[in-house]
Amino acid sequence: MASVGYQSVGDVFGGGANKRCESYLVFPFETSLGAGTRTFLYFVGLAYCFLGLSSITARFFRSMENVVKHSRKVVEIDPVTNTEVVRYEKVWNYAIADISLLAFGTSFPQISLATIDAIRNIGDLYAGGLGPGTLVGSAAFDLFPIHAVCVVVPKAGELKKIADIGVWLVELFWSFWAYIWLYIILEVWTPNVITLWEALLTVLQYGLLLTHAYAQDKRWPYLSLPIPRTERPEDWVPEETNSDNSLSNICDEYSEIHGCGEDGSRNVVDIFSIHSNNETVPLYQQMPQTDDAAEPSSKNLNSEHNVNVFSLWKQQFVDAIMLESPDSRKLSSFLLRLARVSWQLVVVPWRILFAFVPPYHIAHGWVAFICSLIFISGIAYIVTKLTDIISCVTGINAYVIAFTALASGTSWPDLVASKIAAERQTTADSAIANITCSNSVNIYVGIGVPWLIDTAYNFFAYRERLHINNAAGLSFSLLVFFATSVGCIAVLVFRRLTLGAELGGPRIWAWVTCLYLMLLWVIFVVLSSLRVSGII
């Protein structure tokens, strides 16, 4: 791919271009198209990539749900009766699952984009701004628009509050410290330069976050805040009200196939579940279950299991190419039906591609989890290429594109996760924890790992440090983000003190909060864009 010149925005849209951007995405004849046409096509391609991220997110969350649902059998001896007591306990701690699986997984589009940007620029003495710009912009999108959506998601009058304030305060502290730390290493210790030790310390702080959150959840002495946990159900999900005996019997046979909870209920939603409550969702065939503590399965059981695995995998491809027939009772208009079918045709390529992700129940969901992350990385690579070309064709600073379009598009999994948690869980813990933890992961992993790759290579290959492009613009964005984030947390605290909950409440106040948070996001985007463009 060649890259010759850049055009200013005025040249592109004013028709007075003196140079042509010779970069292209697929075919060389793209360069013969007009700048306006190319810009439109590339933005459409970018939007289609974001649609692909939304599609793979569905499979990603189902696989992650199975990972988190994994229980292990524990056999204990009752000291009184001297009999065996069998119980099942979750393998994953909820606080750790929020920070690692949920936050890391939903932030993986940004993390992979930043890592790819670092790898392709390896050996350069100046780090690219695409990754850091996307991650800082993503943090703003997480904090403001996602909070805004979560506030209005609960039903009118319904209040959902954080049950474990202690864990949330720990997560909030590390989230704020992440951006203070980033400003310190950019402007105080080694201005405009990142050293190997700074990058390494940035990554290691993610481990400190995990340790501190776990200590708070377990209420370790000296390492936790003396704040009691309140009103948190064991699985943080609503009680099942309507039970169907026949359906429960089916779910008992294959609790890990989608649509069934561990307790055999059809509509119970696990902590990460995005399953539909629509009764038209097809039930897959029963899968033979094996107990972790049971005797090794026989050859016949293994054979039956393998047959079922391939049957499920085949069904995924069948479902991918089959279009849903519009419900005439709900879509009475011909145009609405046509729009529904057209939309399904648009997403069919993504559905077919992601059907290659193995069924979710294999290895407790880990195989599908890893495969989903691989697909996300592939889409992120295409997004970086599209961003380069859009910046080349339009002359718009790539940093501006990063913290606006890229940040919003790649943060869609965060929005989906928090919205579902706010909608279906009895508390606000996971919905808000996903936001604060994602922002921490953005810095400690999303920026720390790419910088560690570049600084380590430069240190051992050239004995040189890594310089940061547009460090002043990045630092300014951090200051604006920090100031506006204080306003966001303040309104959440105010809602807790007055309404008794962070999410939901009277409809009018929920929408007022939503608009206020969206205004904070607009302020961040406008000020950061003006600073990068040199206007302020």
Side-chain angles (χ1 to χ4, degrees):
M1 180 181 293
S3 181
V4 177
Y6 292 86
Q7 294 172 275
S8 68
V9 177
D11 287 340
V12 169
F13 296 101
N18 295 320
K19 295 182 179 180
R20 294 184 58 84
C21 178
E22 299 300 331
S23 293
Y24 58 89
L25 183 65
V26 181
F27 303 110
F29 68 76
E30 292 174 23
T31 58
S32 63
L33 299 174
T37 302
R38 294 181 67 188
T39 301
F40 172 76
L41 292 176
Y42 294 143
F43 268 111
V44 169
L46 198 62
Y48 197 66
C49 286
F50 294 153
L51 179 61
L53 285 176
S54 301
S55 299
I56 191 61
T57 296
R59 293 189 176 274
F60 170 76
F61 276 109
R62 285 172 182 163
S63 63
M64 185 163 59
E65 177 192 37
N66 279 343
V67 172
V68 176
K69 284 166 57 177
H70 183 204
S71 298
R72 61 187 174 190
K73 184 178 181 179
V74 179
V75 180
E76 298 176 339
I77 303 298
D78 190 319
V80 178
T81 62
N82 200 31
T83 59
E84 289 188 351
V85 177
V86 179
R87 62 182 177 86
Y88 291 86
E89 63 179 22
K90 295 277 189 180
V91 173
W92 282 87
N93 171 270
Y94 278 121
I96 298 300
D98 277 340
I99 301 173
S100 56
L101 290 180
L102 183 60
F104 179 80
T106 55
S107 297
F108 196 75
Q110 303 96 294
I111 295 172
S112 57
L113 188 149
T115 305
I116 291 170
D117 187 47
I119 292 175
R120 66 178 184 164
N121 292 321
I122 198 167
D124 294 344
L125 297 182
Y126 285 85
L130 189 63
T134 302
L135 288 159
V136 173
S138 174
F141 188 90
D142 286 352
L143 196 64
F144 306 128
I146 296 182
H147 263 127
V149 170
C150 290
V151 167
V152 298
V153 159
K155 298 176 182 178
E158 185 181 11
L159 292 170
K160 294 188 177 183
K161 65 180 181 180
I162 299 173
D164 200 333
I165 288 291
V167 171
W168 178 68
L169 288 176
V170 168
E171 294 166 347
L172 186 65
F173 165 78
W174 284 99
S175 175
F176 271 92
W177 168 248
Y179 293 89
I180 295 173
W181 165 257
L182 189 59
Y183 185 84
I184 290 174
I185 62 178
L186 282 174
E187 295 292 337
V188 180
W189 282 357
T190 53
N192 304 332
V193 170
I194 299 298
T195 66
L196 176 61
W197 293 111
E198 288 172 338
L200 184 60
L201 286 174
T202 301
V203 176
L204 291 178
Q205 287 181 73
Y206 181 61
L208 295 178
L209 164 62
L210 290 171
T211 303
H212 195 183
Y214 185 79
Q216 180 63 43
D217 186 74
K218 294 299 184 181
R219 298 303 191 270
W220 288 357
Y222 308 111
L223 292 179
S224 62
L225 300 173
I227 302 176
R229 180 186 296 119
T230 61
E231 301 178 11
R232 189 184 82 174
E234 180 62 24
D235 286 337
W236 299 17
V237 294
E239 293 287 339
E240 179 66 15
T241 55
N242 297 322
S243 61
D244 185 328
N245 292 333
S246 61
L247 195 53
S248 296
N249 292 334
I250 294 175
C251 288
D252 287 339
E253 297 293 333
Y254 57 112
S255 62
E256 289 189 82
I257 300 303
H258 87 170
C260 298
E262 284 192 326
D263 59 356
S265 59
R266 176 76 168 102
N267 294 323
V268 163
V269 181
D270 204 279
I271 185 171
F272 299 123
S273 177
I274 61 168
H275 296 162
S276 173
N277 288 331
N278 189 342
E279 293 301 325
T280 61
V281 174
L283 288 175
Y284 291 110
Q285 58 186 341
Q286 299 182 17
M287 295 293 299
Q289 295 295 299
T290 56
D291 192 352
D292 292 342
E295 293 294 328
S297 57
S298 65
K299 293 182 179 180
N300 291 336
L301 182 59
N302 285 331
S303 177
E304 184 182 353
H305 184 272
N306 292 333
V307 169
N308 279 281
V309 166
F310 286 109
S311 297
L312 284 177
W313 211 336
K314 176 183 176 181
Q315 185 63 38
Q316 288 184 177
F317 286 95
V318 173
D319 292 341
I321 61 177
M322 289 182 63
L323 300 180
E324 299 176 11
S325 58
D327 190 342
S328 59
R329 293 171 298 178
K330 297 180 179 179
L331 300 178
S332 56
S333 170
F334 171 76
L335 292 178
L336 289 178
R337 296 187 194 183
L338 181 62
R340 177 70 176 271
V341 173
S342 299
W343 176 254
Q344 293 182 54
L345 290 174
V346 169
V347 299
V348 159
W350 288 124
R351 291 170 60 178
I352 295 175
L353 179 63
F354 299 146
F356 286 95
V357 176
Y360 317 120
H361 72 282
I362 300 176
H364 301 292
W366 278 110
V367 177
F369 182 86
I370 295 172
C371 289
S372 297
L373 294 184
I374 292 173
F375 275 108
I376 289 174
S377 298
I379 298 175
Y381 176 77
I382 299 174
V383 167
T384 59
K385 291 296 185 182
L386 281 168
T387 304
D388 287 342
I389 299 177
I390 291 173
S391 179
C392 178
V393 172
T394 63
I396 300 175
N397 192 301
Y399 184 78
V400 175
I401 300 174
F403 66 72
T404 52
L406 292 190
S408 302
T410 56
S411 295
W412 188 257
D414 288 305
L415 177 60
V416 172
S418 291
K419 175 184 177 296
I420 291 165
E423 188 176 43
R424 301 187 178 183
Q425 289 182 354
T426 57
T427 70
D429 293 74
S430 286
I432 295 180
N434 177 51
I435 297 171
T436 54
C437 294
S438 292
N439 285 353
S440 299
V441 171
N442 282 348
I443 298 301
Y444 299 134
V445 179
I447 291 182
V449 169
W451 279 356
L452 183 60
I453 293 172
D454 282 343
T455 54
Y457 184 87
N458 287 354
F459 178 80
F460 291 107
Y462 308 118
R463 296 293 175 179
E464 291 283 350
R465 297 184 296 180
L466 182 68
H467 297 263
I468 303 300
N469 274 327
N470 201 13
L474 184 60
S475 299
F476 180 82
S477 295
L478 288 172
L479 291 176
V480 175
F481 171 77
F482 191 82
T484 50
S485 63
V486 171
C488 174
I489 300 302
V491 76
L492 293 180
V493 173
F494 179 76
R495 285 177 56 86
R496 180 63 177 253
L497 295 176
T498 56
L499 299 177
E502 290 78 13
L503 306 182
R507 219 62 184 147
I508 179 66
W509 293 115
W511 280 106
V512 167
T513 305
C514 176
L515 293 176
Y516 167 74
L517 294 174
M518 291 302 297
L519 177 62
L520 291 179
W521 183 61
V522 171
I523 292 173
F524 168 82
V525 170
V526 170
L527 291 180
S528 298
S529 299
L530 293 177
R531 180 67 174 88
V532 171
S533 302
I535 299 176
I536 60 174

